[in-house]
């Protein structure tokens, strides 16, 4: 029950995350700006836990595994996913990104974990994808000349998250250490890189309302709470 509840919490937050990311792009923020807000805030929230729980081993996750998970669920995930909104609409992200997470997670779990869904499980997977398509509705018909680029980017981040899901389960990692390791490690590495290559002035020139919205949704809700809730769902 706890796993299902945590999965629902993560799904609801991710729905808001997609909309908020699209709004951030429309407001003039770059994917790099949103990645900074997400992981800097989430990293600071998880830093006290990491400092109290064997920081030398990333709370038991290990540096090797931590780096792999950070590459899959860290800044590259936000950079690639948010870039897709430059080419394709929100409806495409809802169906392709989330649908690929569902289908590829099941496929990879079958291959690497031996967790093969039965007939009811397969029907459930198809129902989820069908529900996403129905929900997106007419927005799927909004196809521009370069929409395929956005679709490819959405599929890429869906694949990244599916790999993150399966690896966490395969390695038997606990939820809080995983979330703490990914968020703090990415914050420590990404912040200096952002200063070197990004236009920080553009970020701070955004309106206060935009920064608050992105900070709360990207950093607190999606970066910290949804990350932890999803890790708990996978573990459960």
């Amino acid at each position: 029950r706890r796993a299902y509840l945590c999965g629902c919490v993560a799904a609801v937050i991710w729905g808001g995350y997609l909309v908020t990311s699209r709004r951030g792009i429309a407001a003039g923020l770059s994917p790099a700006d949103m990645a900074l807000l997400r992981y800097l805030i989430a990293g600071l929230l998880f830093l006290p836990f990491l400092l109290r729980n064997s920081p030398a081993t990333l709370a038991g996750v290990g540096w090797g595994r931590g780096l792999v998970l950070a590459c899959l669920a860290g800044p590259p995930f936000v950079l690639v996913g948010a870039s897709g909104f430059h080419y394709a609409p929100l409806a495409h992200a809802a169906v392709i990104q989330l649908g690929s997470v569902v289908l590829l997670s099941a496929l990879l779990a079958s291959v690497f974990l031996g967790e093969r869904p039965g007939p009811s499980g397969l029907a459930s997977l198809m129902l989820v994808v069908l529900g996403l398509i129905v929900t997106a509705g007419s927005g799927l018909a909004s196809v521009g000349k370069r929409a395929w680029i956005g679709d490819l980017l959405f599929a890429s981040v869906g694949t990244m998250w599916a790999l993150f899901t399966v690896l966490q389960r395969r390695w038997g990692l606990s939820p809080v250490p995983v979330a703490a390791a990914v968020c703090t490690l990415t914050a420590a590495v990404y912040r200096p890189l952002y200063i070197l290559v990004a236009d920080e002035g553009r970020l701070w020139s955004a309106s206060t309302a935009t920064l608050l919205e992105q900070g709360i949704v990207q950093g607190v809700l999606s970066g910290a709470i949804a990350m932890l809730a999803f890790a708990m769902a996978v573990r459960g």
Side-chain angles (χ1 to χ4, degrees), residues 3 11 50 66-67 71 78 97 101 114 125-126 131 136 157 171 209-210 220 222 234:
L50 188 65
L67 287 170
C71 288
V78 177
Q97 182 172 327
V101 170
L125 291 173
M126 294 301 103
V157 294
W171 291 336
T210 296
V220 179
S222 186
V234 173

Side-chain angles (χ1 to χ4, degrees), residues 29-108:
L29 295 180
S30 71
D33 299 331
M34 289 186 284
L36 177 70
L37 291 173
R38 175 175 177 138
Y39 294 103
L40 184 61
I41 294 172
L44 290 174
L45 291 175
F46 280 113
L47 183 59
F49 171 84
L50 188 65
L51 292 176
R52 293 195 303 267
N53 293 272
S54 185
T57 63
L58 287 180
V61 174
W63 289 93
R65 292 177 176 179
L67 287 170
V68 171
L69 295 176
C71 288
L72 294 173
F77 176 83
V78 177
L79 292 172
V80 175
S83 296
F85 290 114
H86 288 296
Y87 307 99
L90 177 62
H92 288 225
V95 173
I96 296 173
Q97 182 172 327
L98 299 181
S100 60
V101 170
V102 173
L103 294 177
L104 288 174
S105 293
L107 175 62
L108 293 172

Side-chain angles (χ1 to χ4, degrees), residues 125-198:
L125 291 173
M126 294 301 103
L127 186 61
V128 169
V129 176
L130 179 61
L132 290 170
I133 294 173
V134 172
T135 301
S138 59
L140 288 174
S142 303
V143 179
K145 293 182 178 179
R146 298 193 296 171
W148 66 271
I149 301 176
D151 294 345
L152 183 60
L153 294 173
F154 295 143
S156 297
V157 294
T159 303
M160 292 166 64
W161 197 266
L163 287 169
F164 169 80
T165 302
V166 173
L167 287 176
Q168 182 202 331
R169 189 168 180 84
R170 181 177 178 86
W171 291 336
L173 300 174
S174 299
V176 180
V178 166
V182 170
C183 293
T184 54
L185 183 58
T186 53
V189 173
Y190 185 71
R191 175 55 177 161
L193 293 176
Y194 178 86
I195 294 174
L196 290 175
V197 302

